Amino acid sequence: MSAAKPTHDVIAGAPAEAAQSKRGRLIRQEDEIFERIQQAILDHRLPPGTKLKEVPLAELFGVTRGLLRKVLTRLAHARLVEQRPNRGAMVASPSVSESRDLFAARRAIEGAIVGILGTRINATQIKGLRRMIEREQNAYAKGEMRAGLKLSIDFHRVLAQMAGNSVLSGFLEELLTRTPLVILAYRDTRATTTRCDCNDHGAIIDALETGDAEEAARIMQEHLEALEGQLNLREDGSTTDLAAVFGS
Amino acid sequence: MSAAKPTHDVIAGAPAEAAQSKRGRLIRQEDEIFERIQQAILDHRLPPGTKLKEVPLAELFGVTRGLLRKVLTRLAHARLVEQRPNRGAMVASPSVSESRDLFAARRAIEGAIVGILGTRINATQIKGLRRMIEREQNAYAKGEMRAGLKLSIDFHRVLAQMAGNSVLSGFLEELLTRTPLVILAYRDTRATTTRCDCNDHGAIIDALETGDAEEAARIMQEHLEALEGQLNLREDGSTTDLAAVFGS
DNA sequence: GCAAAAAATATTGTCAACAATTTTATCCAG
DNA sequence: CTGGATAAAATTGTTGACAATATTTTTTGC
């Protein structure tokens, strides 16, 4: 069974609670399923291309097919899932150009976020961010990759929230969730790890502390370029040269 | 009837074609309804707060309630519509802080777009943009406000497409559609018109033509600040001081 | 045995009836 | 009249049965 239905094992965690009141809690249930699938993607547990069948997933979460269907539609709108008519939903597989665009968009948005923060961040916030980086480094040092990854993403997310622009942080939230799909699809097989450089995070805070927003934005953009550089985004799948793949 | 069901008259245009093939065209039908409502918002025909009842709208478009419901959900995800449980959908009413964030996000994203364009725009594209500006000016000169407005939005949209970043242009698409809602909600009652300054558009192209991406981005940001400045975004509805409103 | 056709199965898409909730209208006491 | 309870209507939310399509398996002709 474990081998036959891998998707079931992958999207693990506590079972979705049955609705208590007859209505009203149900939208929370919908949100919970959405977030659990989203979290599975963030945790690199759901690779691109994974088929998401309605009946098995609905049974797994203990909801009707109609509700699950709604969740899939929402995930599709967030571009975490691709829905093709009559052929169901699968975890999105970003193309090379999409992936490049995604990183360029992150540079633009996170650059702006850091620029905003340069003028409004306070000592308490800086202290909190430093604590986060410390925990992140500890996690990686202890080999707890999943925890480190989560903290690393949280660093970017918290920066956005501190900037106080709900529109930009909403956009970034989407991009942060899509990033793992890009990494899984295009990670360089030779590289041991594909993740944020903690030192960059520290350097960004250093720049923010001195009030140098320009410098902080510059480091953030270089930081994202470094992450993108760890990937193999050279050629698109559609243009793969089969002759080259099989020698001669 | 016209007075009793204003929403029906507002979302006008050709009736939705009945599906020809049994399936497949149906998703196009869904898209068509989505776009018609979106267009109505872009044209300032659907003001914030307008109630969108499912049965009347479904009949208007000649589709089932279930299909229309799906469209409303999609519109809600694009933040053009607000859905509250058991209370239906209405055209979104952006708050003051949301509106400010929206403009700040536009400055960040369109600044980045123009920055990208500075390095890759060609003579043909510049020629096309100049033609657009000319038509825009003509429309406003002739008093054809709706046509001018459309061309003005198209200018920003086309710039984004020329930059060739699908993620950024997708985000901007959402922001462009939400902008009319902000304008309708917060336009200064004393102002005669609330719209883009065509001259700014021309100045942006001038800067792009000389290859000065920095300057073009600066003008774009000032351009958006000027548009935001035409609005009355001083206080939030939730903090409206009733005592001040009624004198003493 | 193999490829194409056909049947069987599995999966997604749609709809109409029903349930739950909110909104509006009615009624009645004070 | 007014305010509040009650009933009626309108509106949204859900579900399960069925239709349409895609996928897999079996059959058939060579």
Side-chain angles (χ1 to χ4, degrees):
Chain A
M1 177 178 178
S2 184
K5 302 182 179 178
T7 304
H8 290 201
D9 301 333
V10 164
I11 309 175
E17 292 298 324
Q20 299 232 349
S21 72
K22 296 185 182 178
R23 196 99 76 85
R25 298 283 170 192
L26 294 187
I27 58 165
R28 283 210 187 160
Q29 199 177 27
E30 188 184 319
D31 289 344
E32 194 211 322
I33 296 172
F34 181 95
E35 282 163 19
R36 274 173 69 189
I37 296 178
Q38 189 181 42
Q39 192 60 51
I41 292 174
L42 278 169
D43 287 348
H44 293 206
R45 300 195 320 266
L46 269 183
T50 308
K51 188 92 189 351
L52 299 174
K53 290 182 190 171
E54 297 178 355
V55 173
L57 272 181
E59 284 173 359
L60 173 66
F61 290 120
V63 299
T64 61
R65 194 161 70 91
L67 182 59
L68 187 101
R69 182 169 254 270
K70 236 164 101 184
V71 173
L72 288 177
T73 303
R74 282 179 55 187
L75 289 164
H77 205 142
R79 302 195 189 263
L80 300 175
V81 154
E82 282 169 21
Q83 271 181 318
R84 281 180 307 176
N86 297 318
R87 315 210 32 205
M90 58 171 59
V91 178
S93 304
S95 70
V96 169
S97 73
E98 244 182 298
S99 303
R100 286 213 194 92
D101 291 352
L102 189 147
F103 274 105
R106 279 193 63 174
R107 285 196 295 274
I109 288 174
E110 301 202 62
I113 282 170
V114 169
I116 294 170
L117 266 182
T119 65
R120 53 143 56 204
I121 200 166
N122 62 42
T124 312
Q125 292 174 319
I126 287 182
K127 199 173 260 177
L129 288 168
R130 286 214 192 280
R131 248 198 309 272
M132 284 188 69
I133 296 173
E134 210 173 308
R135 288 202 293 153
E136 185 188 345
Q137 285 173 320
N138 283 338
Y140 281 131
K142 285 194 241 167
E144 295 168 357
M145 301 307 288
R146 184 158 295 173
L149 182 67
K150 192 175 175 58
L151 285 164
S152 172
I153 294 169
D154 277 346
F155 177 81
H156 289 263
R157 175 182 290 130
V158 168
L159 273 185
Q161 277 162 1
M162 284 179 176
N165 185 316
S166 60
V167 176
L168 285 177
S169 61
F171 285 159
L172 182 62
E173 194 69 38
E174 180 185 321
L175 297 180
L176 287 176
T177 319
R178 287 169 71 184
T179 300
L181 297 177
V182 174
I183 291 178
L184 284 184
Y186 299 106
R187 78 191 322 167
D188 197 321
T189 48
R190 291 164 304 182
T192 53
T193 60
T194 307
R195 57 174 177 86
C196 281
D197 183 341
C198 297
N199 299 324
D200 287 350
H201 289 181
I204 290 167
I205 300 305
D206 290 343
L208 284 177
E209 193 166 24
T210 62
D212 192 344
E214 301 259 333
E215 172 72 358
R218 197 187 57 75
I219 299 173
M220 173 61 92
Q221 291 179 355
E222 283 183 9
H223 171 58
L224 291 169
E225 274 165 20
L227 182 57
E228 186 178 356
Q230 293 177 43
L231 301 175
N232 177 17
L233 289 174
R234 251 150 270 154
E235 56 202 23
D236 211 328
S238 58
T239 63
T240 300
D241 186 352
L242 288 178
V245 170
F246 295 107
S248 168
Chain B
M1 178 178 177
S2 184
K5 301 182 179 177
T7 304
H8 290 202
D9 300 332
V10 164
I11 308 175
E17 291 298 323
Q20 298 231 353
S21 73
K22 297 182 180 178
R23 195 100 75 86
R25 298 283 170 192
L26 294 187
I27 58 166
R28 284 206 186 163
Q29 196 177 32
E30 188 184 319
D31 290 344
E32 194 211 320
I33 297 172
F34 181 96
E35 282 163 19
R36 275 172 70 188
I37 296 178
Q38 190 181 41
Q39 192 61 49
I41 292 174
L42 278 168
D43 286 348
H44 292 205
R45 300 195 321 266
L46 269 183
T50 308
K51 190 90 193 341
L52 298 175
K53 289 180 190 173
E54 297 178 356
V55 174
L57 273 182
E59 284 173 359
L60 174 65
F61 290 122
V63 299
T64 60
R65 195 162 67 91
L67 182 58
L68 188 102
R69 181 169 255 271
K70 233 164 102 183
V71 173
L72 288 177
T73 303
R74 281 180 55 188
L75 289 164
H77 204 167
R79 301 194 190 263
L80 299 175
V81 153
E82 282 169 20
Q83 270 180 318
R84 281 180 309 176
N86 296 321
R87 314 204 41 200
M90 57 171 60
V91 179
S93 304
S95 70
V96 169
S97 73
E98 242 182 300
S99 302
R100 286 213 194 91
D101 291 351
L102 190 149
F103 274 105
R106 280 194 63 174
R107 285 195 295 275
I109 288 174
E110 300 203 63
I113 282 169
V114 168
I116 293 170
L117 266 182
T119 66
R120 53 147 51 207
I121 199 166
N122 63 41
T124 313
Q125 292 174 317
I126 287 182
K127 201 174 259 178
L129 288 168
R130 288 215 192 278
R131 250 198 308 273
M132 284 188 68
I133 296 173
E134 212 173 304
R135 288 202 292 153
E136 185 188 345
Q137 284 174 321
N138 282 339
Y140 281 133
K142 285 195 243 170
E144 295 168 357
M145 302 307 287
R146 185 158 295 173
L149 183 67
K150 192 175 173 58
L151 285 163
S152 172
I153 294 169
D154 277 345
F155 177 81
H156 289 263
R157 176 181 291 131
V158 169
L159 274 186
Q161 278 161 1
M162 283 180 177
N165 185 317
S166 60
V167 176
L168 285 177
S169 62
F171 285 159
L172 182 61
E173 194 69 39
E174 180 185 321
L175 297 180
L176 286 175
T177 319
R178 288 169 71 183
T179 301
L181 298 177
V182 174
I183 291 177
L184 285 183
Y186 300 107
R187 78 191 322 166
D188 197 321
T189 48
R190 292 163 304 181
T192 54
T193 60
T194 308
R195 57 176 177 83
C196 281
D197 184 340
C198 297
N199 300 325
D200 287 351
H201 289 181
I204 289 167
I205 301 303
D206 290 342
L208 284 177
E209 193 166 25
T210 62
D212 192 344
E214 300 259 333
E215 172 72 356
R218 198 187 56 75
I219 300 174
M220 173 62 91
Q221 290 179 355
E222 282 183 9
H223 171 59
L224 292 169
E225 274 166 19
L227 181 57
E228 185 178 357
Q230 294 177 44
L231 302 174
N232 177 16
L233 289 174
R234 251 149 268 153
E235 55 202 23
D236 210 328
S238 59
T239 62
T240 301
D241 187 352
L242 288 177
V245 170
F246 295 107
S248 168

